[in-house]
Structures are given as C-alpha cells and as structure tokens.
C-alpha cells in the first residue's frame, strides 16, 4: 500500500496510464493543429479529434457531431447557461435550477441575474434530491432552460433526471445537466435522461485536466441555438473558438473509451467498498452521520459528519489520507458548504463534514487503513473537543433534522 | 522516406521535450487539484505558482499575480477585450483596433459591435504597420481601449509598439497587445513598454496547447469582468480547475525561452533570411510580403507570381513539407487573407502567397531541403498554370 492514500476522486482523478499513452504521440511527434487543412500534421490531428468525438459520443449515446470540446466542465457549464440564455432571451428570461448545483452553474446564474434574467433555485430534501413535481411547478411561460446536475459533487446524491426530463420535454423547454460526476461512472445516456445539453469533464474520469465537452442535441426538432463565450476563428462549428487542445481531447476520448469498458464493474466494486467504508466508520464511532442519499448516490462518494470535530482540522491532520472538507473547489475559503446547508444540516455538522472519494485504484486495503486512521484521529480530536464533551454527556439526543439523518446512516 | 519538414510554427509548434518532461510527473504521480488543501493539492499549487513566476519573468511582469492562466490565446484575447469592454462600459463604448488583427481579436470586436460598442478598424500601411499619427487621430473622449497585434501571424510585422503605446497613454487609453506570435520569439517586456494587457498562447513557441495567459496590469483587474464564472481560481478572474500539467509545461517553456531567446531569435533570423534570399535568387518573380526590418525572426511570407498558394501548399505537402496559406489557425478556409488585403496587397499576389514559419525544431538541413524542392515545384506549377 502506497501512502498517502488518495481519497479525493470527486475533486480530480489521476490520468489512466492507457489515457496518457494515447496522448503521448500528440504531445510529441503528432503536434499538428486540426485547423491546418493543408498538410499531413493537420490531418493527423483532425483524425485524432474525430476519433475522440466518436469515443465520447459512444459512452453517452450521442452522435459525434453533438460533441463540442471546451477547456473543461466549468467552461461547458458557462457556455450552456449563458449561451442558451443569450440565444433564447427573446422567448423568455427565466431559468430553473436548484440550490446544490456546482459553483460553475450557480455563478453563471448569478451573472445572468445581473443581466436581468430571473432564476429559480429549487430547494432539495434532506437527502439532496429535487422533487420533480417542484420543477413542474417552477416552470413558467418565460422559462427557456432547466439545468439540474446529475449527481452532486459533495454528497453524491443522484437526481431523478429521467423524471425531470420528461416534465421539461413535455413543456417544450431545453434541459441541461452538469454530469461531471456521473459520465463514465454510472449509466448516463442522453436519451434516457431526456437531455438537450450535458457538461462533461475529463479530469474527473481519469482523463487530463484542461479539457471537457458540451453535448448539444442536434435536432429537437429544430437546431439548438447557443451563443459562444469566445469569438475568434469559429472552431467547433462556431460554438467555441480557439485552437483545439489535441492531446487533451485525445485523452478525453480515450478516458471515455476506457470508461465504456469499465464503468459497470467498477461501479459495483466501488459501491461495495463504499458500504464497507461507511459500516467500518459507523462501527468505530458514534455521533457520525452519512450525508446524502443512502442508495441514490454515486458508487464512489462518502460524505460523513463527525459531530464535535472540525472537518478542516481533520483533513489537515490526516496526513496519510487525501480527502476533502466541504467542497474542495472552494476549500480555500472557509465558508460552510452551501450544499449541506441546502440539505438542512446545521453549521456545526457542516463544519464537521468530510468527503472521501473512491477511485479506480482504491483497494480494500486502502479502505480499511483509511477507516482505521479516521476512527483513531476522530477519537483523538474528540478527546480534545469541549463541543464533543457536551454532546457525549447529552447522549445521543440529537434534535430535529439530525435524528433523521442519523437513522438513515445506520442502515446503509 | 525522406524526413518531413514542418514550417508552420505560426499555426502550432511542437512541445519542447524539456517542457513535456516537466509536465509528466503531474500526469502520473502528482495529479492533485491545485485548490485542494491536502498534500497533493498544496504541491500542485506550489508548482502552478512557480510556473506563473516563470511566465512573468519572460514577459517582464514584476508581479506574477498579474497573470491569469486561460485555456489558450483565443480565450486570453477574449478576456482582455470583452472583459475590459464590459467592465468599463460606463466610461465609454469606443474601442480601436486595426484591420490586420488575428480572428481572435477581430471576431471579438465584431461581437462587441453587435452588443452596442463602437469599433474603429484602423488601416495599416503596406508593411502591416499602424501609424501612430493615424492612431492619434482616431482617439475620442469615449475611447476605452486600443487592441492590436504585435507580430502579425501572417506576415510577421511588428508594430512600432513604443510609439503607439505612448500615443494611447497620453490620451488615457489603455493598450491590449495580442502577443500570441511575439512571445518566445522576440523580447517583449510589459513593464518597459507600459503594456496594460497582453495575451499569449503556450503552443506557438514550445509550450502545450490548451493553455494561455492574460497579463493584466495591476489596478486594471478590478475594472474587468470575467467570462468564465464558477470558482475562486485565478483570483476570481477565470474559474475552472487549473490544467496543472499544461501550466507546468508552459512555465518550463517560458523559463527555457528566457535563457535562449537571444540566441534562438538570431538563429531563426539567419535561417529565415537564408530561405528568403536563396528562394528569391533561384526563383523568378517572387515577392516578399510584410516588413523586411521590424518583424518576427521566424516568419517569411512569399508570393509566387502565376502560382496558386493552395496548390503550392498541397504540392509541398506531397514532398513532406508543411507550410500554409494565410491564416491557417482559423477554421475558415478559402477566405482571402484579410491581413494581406489590409496591407493593400492585390488579390492575385495574395492568392499566390505562402507562409513559411520556423521554430525551435527547424534545422539548416530542413531549410536546404526546402530550397532544393521549392524551385522545381514552382516551375512545374507555373507550367501547368492557366494564369498568364
């Protein structure tokens, strides 16, 4: 077993060896620009990009021409929201989303609000799920887009996208999903989920950083309009200008191909490890709660609140295990996680939360070692915690919302 | 088979082996997200900040914090122009540029026009230069920005930058320089020139594709608007997980260029001049386009009378030589070069023009091979040509 153990696969993943091998020719001899239509280097690059488009579309059940390359999912999310908003604003200026979206969605929405768009941020239940009925009710004649993430990056809760998609489609509105955490991990077919647009990131699925894609349905029944974020050259059929990042794109394509092969078995294996992890921690510690949906969750996500412990201090103290407190994308700031807040957790338990993200090379040994280390560390921190002292003396009489969560976490 | 010759460095350049070597560990053993607080994350953060220093050093930026990593030159140019325009709209809506810009700037300006901005596209002279007097005459009280390319992608012309910046600054207009082709090829110091915004791209001089930089002079950033929202990265100027390996590779390429720039500049200039000189002596009726003095050391744009540039490019490709016509980094093919048109080059000359752009991998032998193959190819094409 190699230390430190990497348990932060929702933040980023290592590049699969097969993926890096596929990229290497394009980082060395095959360095052409696919826009160079006049020589062999350009054609080789173009071929590679086309192959990647096919590999991605095969994984998500799309057509190659429905894949548009970007610099990553943050850009894809920005492009989807702002692009659709700007292209359809004459039809209406209302967008429906929900409160536990990734910052890329929320901040794009805030920006659109400054431009005069109206945004509905739907609430989630204690497990982090959006009620499809609530989407139905939020839609107005001015609504042009509904954007609901597929699975949450912090708590792993999977949204009922197919049901929501049905509703959105029936109303003739466009449906987007940030599927960064699910593509290559669980079933994620654009037709099954009724999606018109979907954001994809390479570095969450064992591909390289700096590359992502936006899926845009070709006909619906009309061509979907989307205003680009950048101009200059008209690459990607005018949707995204800029020289294509060929090695990155090849890496994303290969990562998709590998996931197409592996996701089912990998998901089952990781779900078992996840159960083992949660059971182990629950056995060793009381006053510990699993955040997120007990079953409708990513196979590799574990989010726990250790009452009486500061999550930040725990992460810093766990030198042998790389994990995240709150959302790592915002972890440089110490604001409590807005995702857990939206799910109704109180601030104390939010600050006591930690996320463990399992991955392709996580072993049972890694899990057992991490559980042991975490249990020991939490026990030590709790010994020093006056907050926990109080809690322990009070017994297990958690009030209100926490009871439900505690009960849930006892039956994984 | 003869070794192939790549002379299309203004479209894209191979990655420097040292830059790749520096990046590989960040693919294989340290893949952390630079925003994570655990060890892998902190190590990635340190490496990203080192790379930022390396880029800052190459462009003479005193404070590396004034640099924003982007997904490439196009995004950097967009962030500069759009970001500044929307952030400063209340002060005025007039922006000045030239007719010889790269599509990244030109298309961004056109998009701004559609959103209510007032754009002036200044003419350039026969060598592709903007006259400071012409610039002075176009500045109005509502002018908020001058954006211009330094080191033209098609002909290599360098602008009289010091004079232009002075004219703009005297009237309180900040200057954005699209230095995508100039950085790593000629010395360019943002502090010495007083440049306010500067865009660069990794993949033109030995760094990777998919990464670029916008330099924003201290104090200006607060007035600008981001394009990509959704995270605290890059001091809130550009959201999204940093592409750590690419940033490291870019940093390394910049560090190498900081050391080699003088020698490399000279080496390429000698090779390019030799290519031009010998081609012009061996082939009749060749016209050299662009400035012969202040220009990029690696770029030659030659027009061969009676030959279609496209036909020449395809024929050279069959011989294993990669060159291009006009602005090949644009995906629009078959459109006559706007740069050459702006320079007043007649269409028949423009159609017969081919760009040779050299770079770090170009050798003497490669240039000799091109000089051996070019004259007979031109001769053959001229025999086939229906043109008089």
């Amino acid at each position: 077993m190699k230390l430190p153990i990497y348990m932060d696969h929702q933040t980023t993943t290592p590049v699969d060896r097969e993926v890096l091998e596929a990229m290497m020719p394009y980082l060395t001899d095959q360095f052409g620009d696919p826009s160079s239509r006049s020589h062999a280097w350009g054609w080789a690059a173009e071929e590679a990009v086309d192959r990647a488009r096919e590999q991605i579309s095969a994984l998500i059940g799309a057509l190659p021409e429905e894949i548009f390359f970007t610099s990553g999912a943050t850009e894809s999310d920005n492009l989807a929201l702002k692009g659709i908003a700007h292209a359809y604003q004459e039809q209406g200026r209302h967008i429906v989303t929900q409160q536990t979206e990734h910052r890329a969605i929320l901040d794009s929405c805030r920006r659109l609000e400054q431009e005069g768009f109206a945004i509905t941020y739907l609430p989630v239940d204690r497990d982090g799920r959006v009620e499809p009925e609530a989407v139905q009710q939020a839609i107005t004649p001015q609504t042009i887009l509904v954007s609901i993430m597929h699975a949450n990056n912090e708590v792993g809760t999977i949204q009922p996208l197919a049901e929501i998609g049905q509703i959105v489609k029936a109303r003739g509105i466009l449906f987007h999903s940030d599927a960064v955490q699910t593509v290559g991990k669980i079933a994620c077919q654009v037709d099954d989920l009724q999606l018109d647009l979907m954001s994809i990131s390479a570095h969450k699925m064992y591909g390289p950083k700096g590359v992502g894609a936006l899926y845009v349905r070709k006909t619906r029944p009309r061509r979907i309009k989307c205003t680009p974020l950048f101009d200059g050259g008209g690459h990607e059929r005018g949707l995204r200008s800029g020289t294509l990042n060929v090695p990155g794109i090849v890496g994303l394509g290969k990562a998709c191909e590998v996931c197409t092969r592996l996701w089912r078995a990998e998901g089952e294996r990781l779900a078992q490890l996840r159960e083992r992890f949660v059971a182990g921690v629950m056995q060793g510690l009381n006053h510990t709660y699993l955040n997120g949906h007990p079953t409708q969750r990513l196979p590799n996500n574990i989010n726990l609140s250790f009452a009486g412990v500061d999550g930040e201090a725990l992460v810093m103290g766990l030198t042998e295990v790389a994990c995240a407190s709150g959302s790592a994308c915002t972890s440089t700031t110490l604001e409590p996680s807005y995702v857990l807040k939206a799910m109704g957790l109180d601030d104390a338990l939010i600050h006591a939360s930690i996320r463990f993200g399992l991955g392709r090379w996580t072993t049972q040994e890694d899990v057992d070692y991490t559980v042991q280390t975490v249990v020991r560390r939490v026990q030590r921190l709790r010994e020093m915690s006056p907050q926990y002292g109080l809690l322990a003396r009070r017994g297990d009489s958690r009030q209100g919302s926490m009871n439900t969560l505690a009960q849930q976490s006892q039956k994984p | 088979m003869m070794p192939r010759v790549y002379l299309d460095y203004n479209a894209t350049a191979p990655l420097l082996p040292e830059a790749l070597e520096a990046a590989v560990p960040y693919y294989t053993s340290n893949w952390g997200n630079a925003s994570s607080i655990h060890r892998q994350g902190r190590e990635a953060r340190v490496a990203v900040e080192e790379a930022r220093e390396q880029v800052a050093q190459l462009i003479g930026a005193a404070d590396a914090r004034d640099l924003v990593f982007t997904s490439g030159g196009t995004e950097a140019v967009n962030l500069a122009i759009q970001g500044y325009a929307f952030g400063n709209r209340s002060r005025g809506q007039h922006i000045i540029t030239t007719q010889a810009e790269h599509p990244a700037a030109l298309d961004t300006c056109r998009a701004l026009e559609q959103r209510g901005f007032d754009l002036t596209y200044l003419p350039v002279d026969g060598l592709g230069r903007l006259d400071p007097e012409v610039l002075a005459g176009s500045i109005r009280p509502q002018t908020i920005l001058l954006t211009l390319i330094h080191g033209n992608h098609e002909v290599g012309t360098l602008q009289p930058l010091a004079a232009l910046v002075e004219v703009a600054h005297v009237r309180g207009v900040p200057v954005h320089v699209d230095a995508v082709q100039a950085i790593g090829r000629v010395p360019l110091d943002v502090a010495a020139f007083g440049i306010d915004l500067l865009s660069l791209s990794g993949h033109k001089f030995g760094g990777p594709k998919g990464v670029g930089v916008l330099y924003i002079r201290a104090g200006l950033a607060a007035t600008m608007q981001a394009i990509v929202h959704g995270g605290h990265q890059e001091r809130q100027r550009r959201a999204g997980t940093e592409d750590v390996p690419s940033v490291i590779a870019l940093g390394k390429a910049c560090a190498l260029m900081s050391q080699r720039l003088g020698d490399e500049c000279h080496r390429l200039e000698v090779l390019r001049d030799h290519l031009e000189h010998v081609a012009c002596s061996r082939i009749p009726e060749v016209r050299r386009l662009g400035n012969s003095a202040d220009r990029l050391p690696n770029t030659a744009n030659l027009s061969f009378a009676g030959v279609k540039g496209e036909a020449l490019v395809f024929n050279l490709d069959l011989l294993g030589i990669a060159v291009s016509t006009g602005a090949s980094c644009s995906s629009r093919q078959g459109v006559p070069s706007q740069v050459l048109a702006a320079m007043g080059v007649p269409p028949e000359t423009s159609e017969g023009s081919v760009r040779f752009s050299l770079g770090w991998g170009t050798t003497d032998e490669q240039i000799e091979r091109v000089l051996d193959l070019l004259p007979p190819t031109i001769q053959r094409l001229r025999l086939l040509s229906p043109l008089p």
Side-chain angles (χ1 to χ4, degrees):
Chain A
M1 192 176 54
K2 212 178 141 229
L3 294 175
I5 298 168
Y6 190 77
M7 289 272 179
D8 198 11
H9 288 84
Q10 261 95 52
T11 297
T12 191
T13 56
V15 175
D16 193 307
R17 189 170 292 275
E18 222 181 304
V19 170
L20 185 57
E21 264 166 36
M23 292 168 67
M24 278 318 259
Y26 300 91
L27 288 166
T28 52
D29 299 335
Q30 294 295 348
F31 55 82
D33 175 350
S35 298
S36 300
R37 303 261 163 82
S38 58
H39 54 68
W41 275 273
W43 299 326
E46 194 183 16
E47 254 177 59
V49 168
D50 287 345
R51 198 178 318 124
R53 245 185 262 280
E54 278 166 24
Q55 290 164 321
I56 299 160
S57 56
L59 176 61
I60 61 168
L63 298 168
E65 62 266 33
E66 295 177 319
I67 306 298
F68 296 85
F69 292 110
T70 67
S71 68
T74 294
E75 186 190 328
S76 297
D77 284 345
N78 274 258
L79 178 57
L81 268 79
K82 295 174 190 168
I84 294 296
H86 291 145
Y88 287 88
Q89 53 185 329
E90 261 132 57
Q91 244 168 269
R93 305 193 91 194
H94 179 236
I95 293 170
V96 176
T97 184
Q98 57 91 24
Q99 292 172 3
T100 68
E101 290 293 315
H102 188 269
R103 284 223 178 265
I105 296 289
L106 294 177
D107 288 358
S108 294
C109 287
R110 299 264 141 73
R111 175 78 216 139
L112 288 169
E113 278 179 311
Q114 287 169 15
E115 292 176 23
F117 286 84
I119 315 282
T120 300
Y121 301 93
L122 293 172
V124 293
D125 63 18
R126 297 235 165 99
D127 298 333
R129 297 252 288 183
V130 174
E131 189 58 56
E133 183 56 30
V135 176
Q136 170 86 287
Q137 282 165 13
I139 293 173
T140 73
Q142 275 71 48
T143 309
I144 50 172
L145 176 71
V146 173
S147 178
I148 306 284
M149 72 195 329
H150 196 188
N152 185 271
N153 47 307
E154 290 188 41
V155 294
T157 298
I158 298 167
Q159 299 292 353
L161 282 199
E163 286 170 62
I164 297 171
Q166 204 69 47
I167 293 166
V168 176
K169 195 180 179 185
R171 301 288 292 265
I173 295 163
L174 295 174
F175 189 29
H176 166 256
S177 183
D178 173 341
V180 166
Q181 297 293 344
T182 54
V183 172
K185 310 227 173 75
I186 62 172
C188 196
Q189 299 285 306
V190 288
D191 285 349
D192 294 347
L193 302 174
Q194 310 269 10
L195 288 168
D196 298 307
L197 302 107
M198 183 169 85
S199 302
I200 301 169
S201 166
H203 78 100
K204 313 276 188 190
M205 53 187 294
Y206 313 97
K209 295 178 178 63
V211 62
L214 181 65
Y215 158 80
V216 183
R217 191 174 289 277
K218 201 176 168 191
T219 48
R220 194 207 177 264
R222 280 187 302 280
R223 217 182 109 87
I224 294 172
K225 295 177 289 178
C226 190
T227 306
L229 291 174
F230 322 136
D231 300 287
H235 305 76
E236 295 297 88
R237 282 147 289 151
L239 190 57
R240 206 286 187 175
S241 288
T243 299
L244 292 172
N245 173 5
V246 180
I249 287 167
V250 167
L252 170 57
K254 192 67 180 182
C256 286
E257 188 203 293
V258 175
C259 283
T260 305
R261 227 159 56 212
L262 299 183
W263 73 264
R264 231 172 257 279
E266 189 169 278
E268 280 167 26
R269 188 182 76 86
L270 291 178
Q272 276 170 18
L273 286 182
R274 180 192 70 194
E275 298 308 314
R276 185 182 178 89
F277 190 114
V278 174
V281 169
M282 294 297 181
Q283 213 164 38
L285 295 167
N286 52 12
H287 303 291
T288 299
Y289 313 96
L290 179 69
N291 301 315
H293 199 282
T295 57
Q296 287 303 305
R297 73 185 299 139
L298 289 172
N300 66 335
N301 173 286
I302 298 153
N303 189 311
L304 296 165
S305 282
F306 303 95
V309 170
D310 178 36
E312 204 84 8
L314 182 51
V315 170
M316 297 301 278
L318 284 172
T319 47
E320 319 90 323
V321 180
C323 53
S325 70
S327 162
C329 299
T330 59
S331 64
T332 41
T333 66
L334 288 174
E335 316 154 14
S337 153
Y338 65 87
V339 172
L340 297 175
K341 224 177 165 72
M343 287 162 57
L345 258 76
D346 64 39
D347 278 3
L349 278 185
I350 295 174
H351 283 298
S353 76
I354 290 208
R355 179 186 67 188
F356 300 92
L358 313 178
R360 185 164 288 167
W361 297 280
T362 306
T363 62
Q364 185 171 313
E365 203 188 357
D366 292 339
V367 166
D368 293 346
Y369 181 88
T370 304
V371 168
Q372 258 179 40
T373 313
V374 168
V375 168
R376 228 179 9 229
R377 189 81 209 162
V378 168
Q379 280 168 344
R380 199 165 318 147
L381 285 170
R382 278 177 172 175
E383 280 164 22
M384 301 181 293
S385 158
Q387 204 189 343
Y388 183 74
L390 266 169
L391 195 67
R393 276 197 295 281
R394 267 209 324 252
D396 201 9
S397 62
R398 308 286 308 151
Q399 2 117 300
S401 61
M402 289 310 100
N403 271 333
T404 336
L405 265 175
Q407 280 153 17
Q408 265 173 16
S409 66
Q410 299 306 329
K411 36 167 190 180
Chain B
M1 199 181 125
M2 288 296 289
R4 299 191 299 166
V5 180
Y6 184 83
L7 292 183
D8 201 9
Y9 277 74
N10 286 12
T12 191
L15 190 53
L16 284 158
E18 296 94 330
L20 176 58
E21 209 176 294
V24 165
Y26 294 89
Y27 283 116
T28 55
S29 52
N30 188 349
W31 61 84
N33 183 322
S35 295
S36 295
I37 57 170
H38 50 64
R39 197 172 84 193
Q40 275 101 328
R42 293 196 307 268
E43 282 174 12
R45 168 58 52 203
V46 168
V48 164
E49 295 315 317
E50 274 172 19
R52 206 187 298 275
E53 293 285 348
Q54 290 168 319
V55 183
Q57 209 192 343
L58 179 64
I59 66 167
D63 191 344
R65 286 176 301 180
D66 295 338
L67 271 55
V68 178
F69 287 115
T70 68
S71 68
T74 295
E75 187 186 336
V77 167
N78 272 263
L79 181 55
I81 303 176
Q82 279 192 45
Y84 193 83
F86 286 111
N88 290 275
R89 201 168 193 171
S90 57
R91 300 198 298 112
Q93 301 211 67
H94 181 233
I95 295 169
I96 299 171
T97 187
T98 78
Q99 292 169 9
E101 295 300 305
H102 184 270
L106 216 48
D107 290 357
T108 304
C109 287
R110 296 223 173 93
L112 286 177
E113 267 184 305
Q114 285 174 4
R115 297 183 67 178
F117 283 88
D118 190 2
L119 268 291
T120 297
Y121 302 91
L122 292 176
V124 293
D125 65 15
L127 301 177
R129 292 173 308 186
L130 172 60
D131 184 340
E133 295 270 311
V134 172
L135 171 64
S138 72
I139 296 175
R140 311 174 199 159
Q142 297 79 29
T143 308
I144 53 171
L145 184 68
L146 164 68
T147 175
L148 81 166
I149 188 167
H150 185 59
N152 187 277
H153 50 294
E154 292 189 39
V155 292
T157 300
L158 292 165
Q159 296 293 349
L161 204 54
L164 292 169
V165 170
E166 200 195 328
V167 167
H169 280 180
V170 163
R171 289 157 182 82
V173 176
V175 181
H176 167 242
V177 177
D178 170 355
V180 164
Q181 298 289 353
I183 292 298
R185 301 219 175 108
V186 290
L188 186 55
D189 190 297
V190 290
F193 279 99
I195 292 167
D196 302 282
L197 297 154
L198 178 138
S199 300
L200 69 92
S201 163
H203 74 100
K204 304 285 187 188
F205 68 97
K209 292 183 180 59
V211 63
V213 172
L214 177 63
Y215 160 79
I216 307 173
R217 180 173 57 75
L220 226 57
T223 73
M224 293 179 63
Q225 270 186 19
I227 298 177
V228 179
H229 298 89
H232 296 75
Q233 295 91 348
E234 298 299 301
R235 301 157 65 81
Q236 310 223 27
R237 295 169 201 168
R238 204 284 182 183
T241 298
E242 283 99 339
D243 179 359
V244 180
S246 299
V247 163
I248 304 305
L250 173 61
K252 184 68 184 180
C254 286
L256 289 169
M257 278 305 154
S258 295
Q259 292 164 18
R260 295 180 191 166
L261 193 56
D263 293 346
E264 185 62 4
C265 198
H266 178 69
R267 187 183 78 87
L268 291 178
E269 196 163 25
V270 169
L271 275 180
R272 191 267 323 267
D273 289 350
H274 178 67
L275 172 70
E276 274 186 347
H277 182 75
V278 177
C280 290
S281 68
R282 288 188 191 166
I283 304 165
E285 291 185 85
V286 183
R287 195 176 148 189
R288 204 169 59 188
L289 303 175
N291 203 349
S292 56
D294 296 316
R295 61 171 168 163
L296 296 174
N298 76 318
T299 309
N301 195 316
L302 300 176
S303 175
F304 304 91
V307 172
K308 287 267 184 204
E310 276 176 35
L312 177 55
V313 164
F314 279 105
N315 276 274
L316 288 177
D317 176 68
L318 293 175
L319 298 167
I321 297 168
V323 295
S324 77
T325 58
S328 74
C329 31
S330 157
S331 63
R332 275 184 232 112
Q333 301 291 312
V335 179
S337 160
Q338 286 173 345
V339 172
L340 296 182
M343 286 163 56
V345 175
E348 62 275 16
T349 308
S350 170
E351 277 172 24
S353 84
V354 165
R355 179 183 72 187
F356 301 81
S357 48
L358 289 57
W360 67 262
T362 309
T363 62
D364 297 16
E365 294 73 34
Q366 290 176 349
I367 295 300
E368 291 308 328
R369 183 166 157 71
V370 172
L371 287 170
D372 286 342
L373 294 170
L374 191 59
T377 309
I378 298 285
Q379 199 182 11
R380 195 161 41 83
L381 288 171
R382 279 179 175 165
L383 284 172
L384 295 169
S385 169
L387 298 173

